[in-house]
Amino acid sequence: MPGFELFGESEKSQVQDVLDSGVLMRYGFDGMRNNHWKALELEEALTKRMDSKYAQLVSSGTAALTVALASAGVGAGDEVIMPTFTFVASFESILAIGAIPILVDVDETLTLSPKAVESAITDKTKVVMPVHMCGSMANLGALKVICDTHNLLLLEDACQAIGGSYNGKPLGSYGDLGCFSFDYVKTITCGEGGAIITNNETYKTNADHYSDHGHDHVGNNRGAETHPFLGYNFRISELHAAVGCAQIERLDDFLSIQKKNYTVLRDSLSPLKNITFRKVPTGGVENYSFLSFFLPNQEKAKAAHVALGEAGVDACFYWFDNNWHYYKEWEHLTSKRSLGKLPQEVVNQLPDYSESDFSKSDAWIGRTISCLVKLSWTEEEVVERASRMKGVLSKFS
Ligand SMILES: *Cc1c(COP(=O)(O)O)cnc(C)c1O
């Protein structure tokens, strides 16, 4: 999935524009900047490609989630439903604004189980946050019905699935708000960066102000701007946005390379009776950044993962034991270990996750292996990898 594999002349030329003017900030300095507005340009490109009215760039994907929640008025004590299989950024962003991460099970889509979401709803629930892990999406249709019924916001974390779609809509654009990451290992990168997309003008205005200390951005004297509400600094720099301007132009090329490589791997494993593939909801198109599949049971999955590594098939992940992506290893969350005091709402309301039963998640994640699909492989390398994977996996029936 990583855009860093194909960093080249267009990225350099975009960055050079910024270096030539020396204006590294996205706001102000109008006279000096040779008309270069890289952050604005990238926001415009994102709205077009993602079929959304508004985009707000920020400093990271984690910042995007935080700003998205804040922009929609989510705050202390509000409950946000999120999956057990995700990246730690999900609960970090929720806790950052004093809200409560409510973990629920994933299903064979490796994303939020709509059933589990429904039974986790309380009168404090404000948001359902599906995370489109490893290039494929949650059952957004089912989640939207639940959100509409209970008057909840649908916030899509599309950080790992940029360019995928659901019922013809780009991932991130289906819910009330969608978030992307442009960190160094995502499908397209800014080095560091993130974005929020929405069709809601109020959320966009709030995100614009909140991510820049509450600046209202009226007029062109930064010092004279007013601050309608409290904010923070989640700004992206022009240098980072410039890299993104080049990368977004290449997104569709990257996706087609990923699809080609993914298809070779998948076709090779398809005949194996002991392998089944991760479920993609009807109407969904993956971004093909990973190939994820199930072994018959947990022991076999664990052993097959080791065997793949020994056979030189790198970049495959067994998430069940992973420090960053599965709830089992999030002991800092479970034991509420923070540097300073947590907000009282969090202390009072955060469930005791050491007592939780996520056996339904375990049953899927325990059997899952995901293999990264790279952009830089030659055709020969993909074919060779596919045949090695088949050889190894056929031994675990
Ligand atoms: C990478 C990622 C994030 C956070 O993005 P950063 O830019 O690294 O802060 C959030 N959610 C998911 C699912 C991710 O993979």
Side-chain angles (χ1 to χ4, degrees), residues 202-241:
T202 304
Y203 297 163
K204 162 63 188 181
T205 305
N206 289 349
D208 169 88
H209 297 7
Y210 183 78
S211 60
D212 184 26
H213 304 292
H215 272 271
D216 66 8
H217 298 143
V218 174
N220 58 3
N221 176 0
R222 210 170 143 74
E225 289 173 6
T226 67
H227 26 66
F229 48 77
L230 293 167
Y232 204 79
N233 179 1
F234 290 113
R235 290 190 308 260
I236 193 166
S237 83
E238 283 287 275
L239 284 170
H240 292 91

Side-chain angles (χ1 to χ4, degrees), residues 98-168:
I100 318 296
I102 301 296
L103 272 58
V104 314
D105 276 320
V106 296
D107 60 20
E108 68 270 40
T109 65
L110 302 182
T111 67
L112 275 183
S113 149
K115 246 192 213 145
V117 167
E118 194 138 42
S119 49
I121 293 170
T122 71
D123 57 3
K124 293 204 168 66
T125 310
K126 284 278 164 62
V127 183
V128 176
M129 188 198 277
V131 183
H132 306 315
M133 285 299 280
C134 304
S136 183
M137 76 295 308
N139 185 339
L140 286 168
L143 294 177
K144 176 119 179 66
V145 170
I146 294 170
C147 287
D148 288 348
T149 308
H150 298 272
N151 197 21
L152 307 174
L153 288 168
L154 184 59
L155 193 173
E156 293 175 69
D157 178 341
C159 291
Q160 291 196 9
I162 189 167
S165 66
Y166 179 82
N167 285 352

Side-chain angles (χ1 to χ4, degrees), residues 60-62 65 86-87 89 131 133 157 159-160 181-183 186 193:
S60 71
T62 312
L65 294 166
T86 176
F87 180 53
V131 183
M133 285 299 280
D157 178 341
C159 291
Q160 291 196 9
S181 164
F182 305 123
D183 78 22
K186 297 305 201 285

